[in-house]
Amino acid sequence: MVSQGGGPWRSAGPVEERQAVERVLALAPDVESREAGRAFASERAWSAAGCGEGAVWGVREAADGPPHRTAVVTNDASYTCGCPGGEAPCGHALGLLLLHASDTPVLDRTQEPPSWVAQWLADRRAGATPGETAAPGTSAGSAARAAARRAERRAERVTGGAQELDQRLIDLLRDGLAAADRPGYGLWEETAARMVDAQAPGLAARVRELGSVAASGPGWPARLLEECALLRLLDSAWLGLDRLPGPLAATVRTRVGLTASAEGPPVRDHWLVLAQYDTPDGRIVTRRTWLHGRASGHTMLLLSYGAPGRAPAPPLPVGTVLDAEVTPYPGGGGLRGELGPRFGEPLATTVPPPGGTTADALAAYGNALRDDPWLDAWPVTLRGVIPTPSGDGWQLVGAADGSALPVAPAALSRPGLWKLVALSGGRPLTVFGEFGHRGFDPLAAWCAETSDGEEAPGGAVALA
């Protein structure tokens, strides 16, 4: 399952930073709105601006009337604004979203939402349609029709970009890959810029990642060919979207870069916090939190974003259990969710999640690839494995059957690996992590078993 001897993990820094901005700009209905959004992405454009509770807001003084008060929900871009309107989302909403994706002091990230924002959020939760804001005097039906027209126009732009990308990939493979490692080779940035213009930030990010493959060491032509094949598969899937089953079509939309809202029904469960780690991505920090539902058996990923030095979301201690609701997002194998209401305080536990063997992990990742061929890794819990050196790396060996999974190259340089080895002391562990074609990346572990087979006292140990 590890191709080409294991390549380096994709760079998360500049790629995800660009993705955050491109996801916002891709929401713009036209070039004029995009430029207006850039203009309003300035701290001089706003007063009383802040963010919290999943929203960002601000007040902009108007020359000929009352101030424009704008609030935007950050995960699905639904918004309210006092401007005259027009194509949605307006430039004010786009500007606030761009500010939210940058490290700027203009946004107060500690204050509570003002009363007008809190009321709008409450009204929205009570029945407003996510992603839609109707101008005064506009019926809900006409707002829905306008949204449908915007979605249709964006789909046409994405289709045009996908057709252009398809031809560029064909030309690249016809002419050969040898030129791709030459200094100054500009195909990737140029093509990525074209995908941004086509409002397909997911395609743009994948194109840019191709540019780093040529510098990834021996065997890069084979890895580049693999990545080109996956990109062509995604491109072709979009062009044939109407022929795909619903779940796969939702995954393709997500991978292309179309935004989606978490959609119900919410799952209430006692959620064990498996792992939580932050990835600094230039001016953006991405926080990933893995949860496991005790009753449902679901494993869910929570994502939040913030500026460096500021928590994207309140931390959830690894090894605690939350009584809460989680609403899943469509596509992506049903992994990503949105944390909803909590019932009571988190409780510490020493009980590890249920786990399986290395063969179970291989089967789970294989099944996940059937639903999402562009998946880099899948969350798995291994029960009864021992960290063991192997050549220049490490592997997790099943104590019962001797089967093994290689530890991912990205984990070899982290202190968490030595923490895992020390925790084991040569005895079997329960380990949670992300497993993919580059190997297993351990994120948390539970204490080794004692000599009589009982679980040793103690809770989860974070490795990331």
Side-chain angles (χ1 to χ4, degrees):
M1 298 300 291
V2 181
S3 66
Q4 302 300 324
W9 287 101
R10 289 175 176 168
S11 170
V15 172
E16 285 209 27
E17 180 183 350
R18 282 191 296 260
Q19 272 190 289
V21 173
E22 288 166 0
R23 278 195 295 266
V24 174
L25 294 178
L27 299 172
D30 48 44
V31 175
E32 290 76 12
S33 298
R34 186 182 305 176
E35 293 306 314
R38 290 185 184 276
F40 292 130
S42 166
E43 53 189 86
R44 294 187 300 272
W46 300 95
S47 62
C51 65
E53 297 189 11
V56 57
W57 60 85
V59 177
R60 176 170 172 77
E61 300 298 327
D64 53 355
H68 295 155
R69 299 193 300 184
T70 308
V72 194
V73 175
T74 55
N75 68 351
D76 64 11
S78 57
Y79 76 100
T80 181
C81 186
C83 69
E87 292 286 356
C90 67
H92 299 108
L94 292 171
L96 282 174
L97 287 174
L98 289 171
L99 277 176
H100 184 259
S102 64
D103 184 15
T104 173
V106 71
L107 292 183
D108 187 335
R109 300 172 186 263
T110 60
Q111 70 179 72
E112 292 293 321
S115 58
W116 62 274
V117 175
Q119 184 61 54
W120 174 70
L121 291 173
D123 293 343
R124 179 179 176 274
R125 285 191 293 267
T129 303
E132 291 305 313
T133 297
T138 304
S139 68
S142 62
R145 289 191 294 272
R149 287 194 297 270
R150 291 194 296 273
E152 183 179 353
R153 287 196 296 270
R154 182 175 180 186
E156 290 173 354
R157 294 189 186 100
V158 174
T159 297
Q163 290 170 340
E164 180 178 345
L165 176 59
D166 188 64
Q167 188 58 54
R168 291 194 178 206
L169 288 173
I170 291 173
D171 293 342
L172 171 67
L173 297 178
R174 181 187 296 117
D175 297 338
L177 303 177
D181 68 336
R182 294 176 183 170
Y185 187 69
L187 175 66
W188 309 126
E189 281 298 327
E190 178 192 351
T191 305
R194 296 289 299 137
M195 295 306 102
V196 173
D197 292 340
Q199 295 186 300
L203 292 179
R206 286 185 168 267
V207 169
R208 284 200 176 98
E209 289 174 4
L210 295 179
S212 64
V213 175
S216 63
W220 71 263
R223 288 194 291 274
L224 180 59
L225 187 60
E226 290 174 355
E227 295 297 330
C228 285
L230 282 172
L231 181 56
R232 177 83 192 285
L233 181 64
L234 178 58
D235 194 61
S236 301
W238 172 265
L239 295 176
L241 193 66
D242 57 342
R243 301 191 298 273
L244 300 180
L248 182 56
T251 295
V252 171
R253 292 189 188 95
T254 300
R255 293 296 184 183
V256 166
L258 299 180
T259 56
S261 302
E263 54 188 31
V267 179
R268 181 174 177 179
D269 206 337
H270 288 84
W271 298 94
L272 172 64
V273 182
L274 297 172
Q276 183 172 90
Y277 62 98
D278 294 348
T279 305
D281 305 322
R283 292 179 296 173
I284 301 296
V285 173
T286 302
R287 172 163 292 176
R288 293 170 171 84
T289 305
W290 286 106
L291 305 177
H292 175 77
R294 291 289 196 188
S296 64
H298 294 328
T299 300
M300 305 293 290
L301 173 64
L302 310 180
L303 291 178
S304 57
Y305 305 92
R310 297 169 180 153
L316 299 175
V318 174
T320 58
V321 175
L322 309 171
D323 181 4
E325 291 183 352
V326 175
T327 304
Y329 282 80
L335 279 183
R336 187 182 173 192
E338 180 180 283
L339 185 62
R342 303 188 209 178
F343 308 92
E345 294 298 319
L347 300 176
T349 179
T350 61
V351 180
T357 64
T358 57
D360 295 331
L362 284 166
Y365 181 52
N367 290 333
L369 285 175
R370 178 188 59 198
D371 299 326
D372 184 355
W374 307 277
L375 190 68
D376 280 330
W378 186 256
V380 295
T381 301
L382 301 176
R383 193 71 182 256
V385 293
I386 304 172
T388 307
S390 174
D392 294 333
W394 285 77
Q395 57 186 359
L396 297 177
V397 180
D401 58 7
S403 61
L405 292 180
V407 174
L412 298 178
S413 60
R414 294 204 307 258
L417 175 62
W418 304 110
K419 193 185 298 185
L420 177 66
V421 173
L423 185 67
S424 168
R427 298 195 302 263
L429 291 167
T430 295
V431 184
F432 169 78
E434 299 170 357
F435 174 60
H437 61 94
R438 297 179 178 92
F440 184 89
D441 192 359
L443 300 176
W446 284 257
C447 290
E449 296 175 355
T450 60
S451 57
D452 57 3
E454 295 295 327
E455 192 74 26
V461 175
L463 306 175

